[in-house]
Amino acid sequence: MAPGHAAERGVGRPPGGPFAGRRIAVVGLGKAGLPAARRLREWGAAVTAWDDDAARRAEAEAAGLRVADPALAWAFDALLLSPGIPHRLPAPHPAAAAALAAGAPVLSEIEFLFRAVRAAGSRARFAGITGTNGKSTTTALLAHLLRGAGQQAVEGGNLGPAALDMPILPDGGTYVLEMSSYALERLDACTFDVAAMLNLSPDHLDRHGDMAGYLRAKARILRGAGVAVLGQDDGWTRSLRPEGRVVPLGPGGVWWEGALLRDAAGPLADLSRCPTLPGAHNAQNAAAAAAMALALGVGRDALAPLLETYPGLPHRQERVAERGGVLWVNDSKATNADSAEKALASYPRVVWIAGGTGKEGGIAPLAPLFGRVAHALLVGRDGPAFAATLAAHGVAHEVAGTLENAVRRARALAAPGDVVLLSPAAASWDQFTGFDARGDLFRRLAQEEDA
């Protein structure tokens, strides 16, 4: 039995596992899908695995899984579909179409985790965080606060380990889960003890049809939630009316005044003492994490020292080097203009490295912050398009092409007091396997410069 299973933690479960006798198709065998198929099999399910990629199918066969295309002959109770594979828009995967035609649910990993935990007899708590931006930081920060206060907590979902690689926690433990719209629209029985909707701006509209569809998917996190933490910065989030207790990220809930985090009872923390939480967007993240932590039993007095010791996340305004008065910041996770705006607003003068596969609108929405850009170095497929936008606003720039060239030029251009900021406002697929690979290279190059 793998470490962390229910029996090892003294939590009971039905004979044969929580999914004994259930026929489950798992489609999409990436870094989360294959472990999920294995875990469901360990939990008693009759699993059939499939991936459109032959190499991944071969890996599943080597793991002893039954491999067959469920779309050819649907005979299953449920479909676990990788989040990146559509089940409705823009066009359903054939396996999803077969499941829907048969009236079988298309579910996310989180749903299976929730069912397994409850079937094991555990009343472990579920805390969910969603929003267009800030999810990862808030998720990691809340887990940090809970563990620092002596509670058992694990974080995952869209962040960190795959959901079905997580252990079955006992009563009093907390799953802290970053929830994408893709995962949320595939929930059924799962509800959250505490849920946060941080913010909303247009994203993933190809998958949800329009902004109303995106809002519906995101708002699923609030269904049945005991406590709902709601951002107040956009009309979509403010318009939500959840049934449980509502804690706004504003007066009447938890909010910030400059660097001071507070609630109705008084100050909670001085965010100027929290170097890994710069900028107003991180004030919102800290407010959300603090509100959720308070709802989960963390004492007020514990918050300030724990916020000050939060280590931060890789690729999210990660301070990777400092040399000659120049700070190097890895914000590779900023794959759209909305995310990059948060980083640009955090520093008064930057040498900005941007570019890659841009989203609709490019960097034009960032024009109000261009005055902070001492020089821009543009990389990737849409570097030239970004250059045209900057030229129209009189911003000094050059097309560096590659990240290696951009870092070399940044070293020559940055003056003491500047921040060399990788905040690409674009996806990375044109040159990297993901934003994490892009950020890892930037960190290594920046630290070589620091040697």
Side-chain angles (χ1 to χ4, degrees):
M1 183 176 289
H5 275 211
E8 292 184 297
R9 294 180 173 273
V11 179
R13 68 183 189 196
F19 301 108
R22 305 294 290 172
R23 301 165 301 165
I24 300 173
V26 178
V27 173
L29 303 175
K31 65 179 183 179
L34 185 56
R38 289 172 173 154
R39 179 56 64 86
L40 289 170
R41 181 181 61 183
E42 293 170 9
W43 280 341
V47 174
T48 296
W50 181 255
D51 196 289
D52 294 337
D53 182 87
R56 287 181 172 174
R57 295 198 299 269
E59 188 178 356
E61 287 178 336
L65 291 163
R66 178 178 184 269
V67 176
D69 185 351
L72 299 179
W74 184 262
F76 306 94
D77 299 307
L79 170 63
L80 172 53
L81 188 63
S82 172
I85 301 175
H87 74 288
R88 295 193 188 277
L89 297 174
H93 187 276
L100 294 171
V106 180
L107 303 174
S108 69
E109 277 191 292
I110 302 298
E111 177 66 28
F112 283 102
L113 174 67
F114 181 85
R115 293 185 183 194
V117 170
R118 294 296 180 250
S122 170
R123 300 307 303 171
R125 302 175 298 184
F126 281 70
I129 296 100
T130 199
T132 303
N133 294 301
K135 300 184 295 296
S136 296
T137 294
T138 304
T139 300
L141 181 55
L142 175 58
H144 170 77
L145 295 176
L146 294 175
R147 285 194 293 266
Q151 298 188 22
Q152 187 172 4
V154 292
E155 65 266 45
N158 209 45
L159 168 76
L164 293 184
D165 267 350
M166 299 169 80
I168 299 290
L169 295 178
D171 295 355
T174 304
Y175 295 95
V176 184
L177 301 169
E178 178 184 336
M179 299 297 298
S180 70
S181 58
Y182 299 169
L184 284 165
E185 67 180 352
R186 294 176 187 166
L187 294 183
D188 180 26
C190 178
T191 57
F192 296 92
D193 297 271
V194 184
M197 171 78 93
L198 301 176
N199 48 61
L200 213 63
S201 58
D203 204 5
H204 305 307
L205 300 189
D206 59 329
R207 280 285 293 267
H208 301 294
D210 54 22
M211 194 62 194
Y214 182 48
L215 175 60
R216 280 194 301 273
K218 286 289 196 181
R220 171 60 182 82
I221 200 169
L222 303 175
R223 188 186 305 166
V227 177
V229 175
L230 293 183
Q232 300 295 300
D233 290 346
D234 64 88
W236 292 295
T237 306
R238 289 196 305 272
S239 72
L240 296 170
R241 298 291 184 268
E243 295 177 358
R245 180 166 71 90
V246 175
V247 180
L249 298 181
V254 178
W255 71 98
W256 58 100
E257 297 171 354
L260 186 65
L261 189 68
R262 61 169 301 139
D263 66 2
L268 293 168
D270 180 356
L271 296 177
S272 69
R273 299 173 61 87
C274 306
T276 59
L277 294 167
H281 67 294
N282 272 319
Q284 182 190 58
N285 297 337
M292 297 180 81
L294 290 169
L296 291 165
V298 174
R300 292 172 53 83
D301 293 344
L303 291 176
L306 290 172
L307 288 167
E308 292 172 18
T309 58
Y310 171 61
L313 277 173
H315 316 300
R316 285 99 169 161
Q317 291 202 59
E318 176 191 11
R319 300 160 68 100
V320 296
E322 190 164 1
R323 181 174 185 269
V326 175
L327 176 65
W328 295 69
V329 174
N330 167 23
D331 193 44
S332 184
K333 182 66 166 62
T335 58
N336 57 44
D338 247 13
S339 294
E341 177 186 18
K342 311 301 189 295
L344 285 172
S346 298
Y347 309 103
R349 179 181 157 96
V350 302
V351 175
W352 182 29
I353 301 175
T357 306
K359 305 290 178 71
E360 185 177 352
I363 58 172
L366 300 175
L369 294 168
F370 285 167
R372 296 171 180 251
V373 179
H375 202 96
L377 299 162
L378 306 168
V379 302
R381 187 196 75 178
D382 290 332
F386 286 15
T389 301
L390 293 170
H393 289 83
V395 179
H397 66 278
E398 57 193 84
V399 177
T402 68
L403 188 56
E404 291 90 342
N405 287 341
V407 169
R408 177 179 53 81
R409 287 291 294 140
R411 183 186 182 192
L413 291 164
D418 286 353
V419 173
V420 176
L421 174 66
L422 172 67
S423 191
S428 58
W429 307 114
D430 55 331
Q431 294 181 318
F432 299 92
T433 57
F435 73 83
D436 49 348
R438 176 171 62 189
D440 288 343
L441 176 59
F442 176 79
R443 185 193 304 108
R444 177 172 64 79
L445 293 171
Q447 290 174 352
E448 285 176 357
E449 301 291 355
D450 200 35

